[in-house]
mmCIF file of all heavy atoms in Angstrom:
data_model
loop_
_atom_site.group_PDB
_atom_site.id
_atom_site.type_symbol
_atom_site.label_atom_id
_atom_site.label_comp_id
_atom_site.label_asym_id
_atom_site.label_seq_id
_atom_site.Cartn_x
_atom_site.Cartn_y
_atom_site.Cartn_z
ATOM 1 N N HIS A 82 75.961 79.246 108.114
ATOM 2 C CA HIS A 82 75.055 80.258 107.586
ATOM 3 C C HIS A 82 75.149 81.519 108.438
ATOM 4 O O HIS A 82 75.261 81.467 109.664
ATOM 5 C CB HIS A 82 73.621 79.701 107.603
ATOM 6 C CG HIS A 82 72.610 80.634 107.045
ATOM 7 N ND1 HIS A 82 71.931 81.542 107.840
ATOM 8 C CD2 HIS A 82 72.155 80.817 105.780
ATOM 9 C CE1 HIS A 82 71.092 82.231 107.068
ATOM 10 N NE2 HIS A 82 71.213 81.813 105.837
ATOM 11 N N LEU A 83 75.079 82.630 107.769
ATOM 12 C CA LEU A 83 75.222 83.949 108.383
ATOM 13 C C LEU A 83 74.098 84.830 107.860
ATOM 14 O O LEU A 83 73.768 84.759 106.656
ATOM 15 C CB LEU A 83 76.570 84.518 107.932
ATOM 16 C CG LEU A 83 77.096 85.831 108.420
ATOM 17 C CD1 LEU A 83 77.482 85.742 109.881
ATOM 18 C CD2 LEU A 83 78.318 86.201 107.582
ATOM 19 N N SER A 84 73.494 85.626 108.719
ATOM 20 C CA SER A 84 72.471 86.531 108.217
ATOM 21 C C SER A 84 72.649 87.923 108.828
ATOM 22 O O SER A 84 73.192 88.077 109.939
ATOM 23 C CB SER A 84 71.065 85.998 108.526
ATOM 24 O OG SER A 84 70.798 86.052 109.907
ATOM 25 N N LEU A 85 72.176 88.899 108.077
ATOM 26 C CA LEU A 85 72.164 90.290 108.525
ATOM 27 C C LEU A 85 70.714 90.737 108.571
ATOM 28 O O LEU A 85 70.011 90.625 107.563
ATOM 29 C CB LEU A 85 72.951 91.177 107.564
ATOM 30 C CG LEU A 85 72.926 92.673 107.866
ATOM 31 C CD1 LEU A 85 73.729 92.986 109.117
ATOM 32 C CD2 LEU A 85 73.444 93.483 106.673
ATOM 33 N N GLN A 86 70.288 91.201 109.711
ATOM 34 C CA GLN A 86 68.931 91.704 109.847
ATOM 35 C C GLN A 86 68.986 93.210 110.068
ATOM 36 O O GLN A 86 69.735 93.692 110.924
ATOM 37 C CB GLN A 86 68.220 91.016 111.019
ATOM 38 C CG GLN A 86 68.122 89.514 110.853
ATOM 39 C CD GLN A 86 67.453 88.840 112.028
ATOM 40 O OE1 GLN A 86 66.968 89.481 112.953
ATOM 41 N NE2 GLN A 86 67.419 87.505 112.007
ATOM 42 N N ILE A 87 68.203 93.925 109.287
ATOM 43 C CA ILE A 87 68.103 95.375 109.409
ATOM 44 C C ILE A 87 66.685 95.694 109.871
ATOM 45 O O ILE A 87 65.717 95.341 109.177
ATOM 46 C CB ILE A 87 68.416 96.085 108.085
ATOM 47 C CG1 ILE A 87 69.790 95.675 107.559
ATOM 48 C CG2 ILE A 87 68.335 97.599 108.252
ATOM 49 C CD1 ILE A 87 70.100 96.208 106.160
ATOM 50 N N ALA A 88 66.559 96.335 111.004
ATOM 51 C CA ALA A 88 65.246 96.679 111.534
ATOM 52 C C ALA A 88 64.767 98.009 110.958
ATOM 53 O O ALA A 88 65.565 98.916 110.717
ATOM 54 C CB ALA A 88 65.308 96.766 113.052
ATOM 55 N N ALA A 89 63.464 98.079 110.708
ATOM 56 C CA ALA A 89 62.849 99.336 110.242
ATOM 57 C C ALA A 89 63.643 99.933 109.083
ATOM 58 O O ALA A 89 64.170 101.046 109.177
ATOM 59 C CB ALA A 89 62.727 100.312 111.398
ATOM 60 N N THR A 90 63.705 99.205 108.003
ATOM 61 C CA THR A 90 64.535 99.593 106.860
ATOM 62 C C THR A 90 64.158 100.976 106.343
ATOM 63 O O THR A 90 62.979 101.313 106.203
ATOM 64 C CB THR A 90 64.385 98.563 105.737
ATOM 65 O OG1 THR A 90 64.556 97.247 106.289
ATOM 66 C CG2 THR A 90 65.447 98.767 104.670
ATOM 67 N N GLN A 91 65.183 101.763 106.057
ATOM 68 C CA GLN A 91 65.009 103.149 105.599
ATOM 69 C C GLN A 91 65.561 103.305 104.181
ATOM 70 O O GLN A 91 66.394 102.499 103.750
ATOM 71 C CB GLN A 91 65.750 104.087 106.552
ATOM 72 C CG GLN A 91 65.298 103.996 107.987
ATOM 73 C CD GLN A 91 66.237 104.736 108.938
ATOM 74 O OE1 GLN A 91 67.239 105.316 108.529
ATOM 75 N NE2 GLN A 91 65.894 104.711 110.206
ATOM 76 N N PRO A 92 65.138 104.339 103.469
ATOM 77 C CA PRO A 92 65.687 104.556 102.112
ATOM 78 C C PRO A 92 67.210 104.626 102.090
ATOM 79 O O PRO A 92 67.840 104.162 101.136
ATOM 80 C CB PRO A 92 65.057 105.891 101.709
ATOM 81 C CG PRO A 92 63.768 105.936 102.457
ATOM 82 C CD PRO A 92 64.056 105.276 103.783
ATOM 83 N N GLY A 93 67.813 105.146 103.142
ATOM 84 C CA GLY A 93 69.272 105.231 103.216
ATOM 85 C C GLY A 93 69.957 103.878 103.337
ATOM 86 O O GLY A 93 71.184 103.795 103.220
ATOM 87 N N ASP A 94 69.175 102.850 103.581
ATOM 88 C CA ASP A 94 69.738 101.498 103.656
ATOM 89 C C ASP A 94 69.915 100.874 102.274
ATOM 90 O O ASP A 94 70.527 99.809 102.144
ATOM 91 C CB ASP A 94 68.846 100.584 104.506
ATOM 92 C CG ASP A 94 68.783 101.019 105.962
ATOM 93 O OD1 ASP A 94 69.807 101.529 106.473
ATOM 94 O OD2 ASP A 94 67.705 100.861 106.579
ATOM 95 N N SER A 95 69.380 101.514 101.249
ATOM 96 C CA SER A 95 69.512 100.997 99.886
ATOM 97 C C SER A 95 70.984 100.962 99.487
ATOM 98 O O SER A 95 71.672 101.987 99.519
ATOM 99 C CB SER A 95 68.736 101.872 98.899
ATOM 100 O OG SER A 95 67.356 101.813 99.152
ATOM 101 N N ALA A 96 71.461 99.786 99.149
ATOM 102 C CA ALA A 96 72.877 99.594 98.828
ATOM 103 C C ALA A 96 73.077 98.128 98.460
ATOM 104 O O ALA A 96 72.130 97.340 98.475
ATOM 105 C CB ALA A 96 73.758 99.944 100.024
ATOM 106 N N VAL A 97 74.310 97.784 98.150
ATOM 107 C CA VAL A 97 74.679 96.374 97.981
ATOM 108 C C VAL A 97 75.364 95.923 99.266
ATOM 109 O O VAL A 97 76.248 96.610 99.782
ATOM 110 C CB VAL A 97 75.609 96.169 96.775
ATOM 111 C CG1 VAL A 97 76.001 94.700 96.645
ATOM 112 C CG2 VAL A 97 74.937 96.650 95.493
ATOM 113 N N TYR A 98 74.951 94.775 99.784
ATOM 114 C CA TYR A 98 75.481 94.250 101.036
ATOM 115 C C TYR A 98 76.316 93.005 100.744
ATOM 116 O O TYR A 98 75.881 92.100 100.020
ATOM 117 C CB TYR A 98 74.344 93.926 102.005
ATOM 118 C CG TYR A 98 73.677 95.173 102.522
ATOM 119 C CD1 TYR A 98 72.726 95.841 101.754
ATOM 120 C CD2 TYR A 98 74.019 95.714 103.759
ATOM 121 C CE1 TYR A 98 72.132 97.008 102.212
ATOM 122 C CE2 TYR A 98 73.423 96.875 104.221
ATOM 123 C CZ TYR A 98 72.490 97.521 103.436
ATOM 124 O OH TYR A 98 71.904 98.681 103.895
ATOM 125 N N PHE A 99 77.503 92.974 101.316
ATOM 126 C CA PHE A 99 78.416 91.848 101.143
ATOM 127 C C PHE A 99 78.713 91.206 102.488
ATOM 128 O O PHE A 99 78.951 91.911 103.472
ATOM 129 C CB PHE A 99 79.754 92.315 100.558
ATOM 130 C CG PHE A 99 79.678 92.842 99.163
ATOM 131 C CD1 PHE A 99 79.509 94.185 98.909
ATOM 132 C CD2 PHE A 99 79.805 91.969 98.081
ATOM 133 C CE1 PHE A 99 79.439 94.678 97.615
ATOM 134 C CE2 PHE A 99 79.738 92.453 96.775
ATOM 135 C CZ PHE A 99 79.566 93.799 96.544
ATOM 136 N N CYS A 100 78.730 89.883 102.503
ATOM 137 C CA CYS A 100 79.318 89.208 103.640
ATOM 138 C C CYS A 100 80.740 88.801 103.259
ATOM 139 O O CYS A 100 81.050 88.623 102.082
ATOM 140 C CB CYS A 100 78.510 87.991 104.068
ATOM 141 S SG CYS A 100 78.499 86.635 102.896
ATOM 142 N N ALA A 101 81.594 88.687 104.251
ATOM 143 C CA ALA A 101 82.967 88.242 104.028
ATOM 144 C C ALA A 101 83.362 87.329 105.181
ATOM 145 O O ALA A 101 82.941 87.530 106.322
ATOM 146 C CB ALA A 101 83.924 89.418 103.908
ATOM 147 N N VAL A 102 84.176 86.359 104.850
ATOM 148 C CA VAL A 102 84.560 85.325 105.809
ATOM 149 C C VAL A 102 86.067 85.151 105.734
ATOM 150 O O VAL A 102 86.639 85.200 104.642
ATOM 151 C CB VAL A 102 83.846 84.000 105.442
ATOM 152 C CG1 VAL A 102 84.274 82.878 106.357
ATOM 153 C CG2 VAL A 102 82.349 84.185 105.462
ATOM 154 N N ASN A 103 86.701 84.913 106.865
ATOM 155 C CA ASN A 103 88.150 84.719 106.791
ATOM 156 C C ASN A 103 88.454 83.315 106.270
ATOM 157 O O ASN A 103 87.728 82.359 106.520
ATOM 158 C CB ASN A 103 88.828 84.981 108.139
ATOM 159 C CG ASN A 103 88.528 83.909 109.168
ATOM 160 O OD1 ASN A 103 87.385 83.462 109.313
ATOM 161 N ND2 ASN A 103 89.558 83.488 109.883
ATOM 162 N N ASN A 104 89.565 83.238 105.540
ATOM 163 C CA ASN A 104 89.983 81.961 104.990
ATOM 164 C C ASN A 104 91.267 81.498 105.672
ATOM 165 O O ASN A 104 91.688 82.069 106.676
ATOM 166 C CB ASN A 104 90.135 82.056 103.468
ATOM 167 C CG ASN A 104 91.088 83.160 103.063
ATOM 168 O OD1 ASN A 104 92.050 83.455 103.772
ATOM 169 N ND2 ASN A 104 90.825 83.792 101.928
ATOM 170 N N ALA A 105 91.893 80.472 105.113
ATOM 171 C CA ALA A 105 93.036 79.844 105.779
ATOM 172 C C ALA A 105 94.180 80.820 106.021
ATOM 173 O O ALA A 105 94.901 80.707 106.994
ATOM 174 C CB ALA A 105 93.511 78.654 104.958
ATOM 175 N N GLY A 106 94.347 81.780 105.124
ATOM 176 C CA GLY A 106 95.418 82.759 105.277
ATOM 177 C C GLY A 106 95.018 83.981 106.076
ATOM 178 O O GLY A 106 95.731 84.981 106.086
ATOM 179 N N ASN A 107 93.865 83.910 106.727
ATOM 180 C CA ASN A 107 93.317 85.051 107.461
ATOM 181 C C ASN A 107 93.038 86.246 106.568
ATOM 182 O O ASN A 107 93.010 87.388 107.023
ATOM 183 C CB ASN A 107 94.191 85.462 108.644
ATOM 184 C CG ASN A 107 93.684 84.846 109.943
ATOM 185 O OD1 ASN A 107 92.537 84.412 110.030
ATOM 186 N ND2 ASN A 107 94.534 84.797 110.938
ATOM 187 N N MET A 108 92.847 85.986 105.288
ATOM 188 C CA MET A 108 92.352 87.010 104.395
ATOM 189 C C MET A 108 90.833 86.876 104.378
ATOM 190 O O MET A 108 90.273 85.917 104.879
ATOM 191 C CB MET A 108 92.905 86.763 102.980
ATOM 192 C CG MET A 108 94.399 86.541 102.938
ATOM 193 S SD MET A 108 95.331 87.945 103.533
ATOM 194 C CE MET A 108 95.221 88.991 102.112
ATOM 195 N N LEU A 109 90.164 87.857 103.771
ATOM 196 C CA LEU A 109 88.714 87.811 103.674
ATOM 197 C C LEU A 109 88.293 87.334 102.284
ATOM 198 O O LEU A 109 88.828 87.799 101.280
ATOM 199 C CB LEU A 109 88.117 89.192 103.927
ATOM 200 C CG LEU A 109 88.263 89.758 105.343
ATOM 201 C CD1 LEU A 109 87.620 91.151 105.426
ATOM 202 C CD2 LEU A 109 87.627 88.835 106.367
ATOM 203 N N THR A 110 87.349 86.413 102.253
ATOM 204 C CA THR A 110 86.708 85.998 101.000
ATOM 205 C C THR A 110 85.319 86.603 100.988
ATOM 206 O O THR A 110 84.550 86.421 101.935
ATOM 207 C CB THR A 110 86.621 84.464 100.909
ATOM 208 O OG1 THR A 110 87.941 83.918 100.906
ATOM 209 C CG2 THR A 110 85.922 84.052 99.623
ATOM 210 N N PHE A 111 84.987 87.314 99.909
ATOM 211 C CA PHE A 111 83.725 88.037 99.820
ATOM 212 C C PHE A 111 82.692 87.245 99.045
ATOM 213 O O PHE A 111 83.006 86.575 98.061
ATOM 214 C CB PHE A 111 83.936 89.394 99.134
ATOM 215 C CG PHE A 111 84.595 90.414 100.012
ATOM 216 C CD1 PHE A 111 85.964 90.400 100.196
ATOM 217 C CD2 PHE A 111 83.841 91.375 100.658
ATOM 218 C CE1 PHE A 111 86.579 91.326 101.024
ATOM 219 C CE2 PHE A 111 84.443 92.304 101.483
ATOM 220 C CZ PHE A 111 85.816 92.285 101.667
ATOM 221 N N GLY A 112 81.459 87.352 99.463
ATOM 222 C CA GLY A 112 80.336 86.815 98.717
ATOM 223 C C GLY A 112 79.960 87.748 97.581
ATOM 224 O O GLY A 112 80.530 88.822 97.408
ATOM 225 N N GLY A 113 78.943 87.342 96.815
ATOM 226 C CA GLY A 113 78.584 88.041 95.598
ATOM 227 C C GLY A 113 77.783 89.319 95.777
ATOM 228 O O GLY A 113 77.634 90.065 94.830
ATOM 229 N N GLY A 114 77.260 89.594 96.939
ATOM 230 C CA GLY A 114 76.520 90.836 97.157
ATOM 231 C C GLY A 114 75.024 90.698 96.936
ATOM 232 O O GLY A 114 74.584 90.010 95.998
ATOM 233 N N THR A 115 74.237 91.304 97.802
ATOM 234 C CA THR A 115 72.782 91.407 97.649
ATOM 235 C C THR A 115 72.422 92.876 97.556
ATOM 236 O O THR A 115 72.791 93.670 98.415
ATOM 237 C CB THR A 115 72.045 90.779 98.853
ATOM 238 O OG1 THR A 115 72.221 89.368 98.846
ATOM 239 C CG2 THR A 115 70.554 91.089 98.799
ATOM 240 N N ARG A 116 71.707 93.222 96.488
ATOM 241 C CA ARG A 116 71.269 94.611 96.331
ATOM 242 C C ARG A 116 69.944 94.781 97.072
ATOM 243 O O ARG A 116 68.949 94.140 96.738
ATOM 244 C CB ARG A 116 71.108 94.966 94.866
ATOM 245 C CG ARG A 116 70.670 96.423 94.648
ATOM 246 C CD ARG A 116 70.665 96.787 93.167
ATOM 247 N NE ARG A 116 71.989 96.702 92.588
ATOM 248 C CZ ARG A 116 72.929 97.642 92.684
ATOM 249 N NH1 ARG A 116 72.667 98.746 93.356
ATOM 250 N NH2 ARG A 116 74.087 97.482 92.111
ATOM 251 N N LEU A 117 69.939 95.647 98.074
ATOM 252 C CA LEU A 117 68.732 95.943 98.836
ATOM 253 C C LEU A 117 68.084 97.196 98.276
ATOM 254 O O LEU A 117 68.718 98.255 98.180
ATOM 255 C CB LEU A 117 69.078 96.151 100.310
ATOM 256 C CG LEU A 117 67.922 96.539 101.236
ATOM 257 C CD1 LEU A 117 66.884 95.422 101.293
ATOM 258 C CD2 LEU A 117 68.427 96.885 102.625
#
Side-chain angles (χ1 to χ4, degrees):
Chain A
H82 182 269
L83 183 70
S84 69
L85 176 70
Q86 300 178 5
I87 305 173
T90 311
Q91 302 169 0
D94 295 326
S95 295
V97 179
Y98 290 80
F99 294 93
C100 67
V102 177
N103 71 316
N104 56 33
N107 263 342
M108 310 299 282
L109 293 180
T110 298
F111 285 80
T115 291
R116 181 174 297 279
L117 177 63

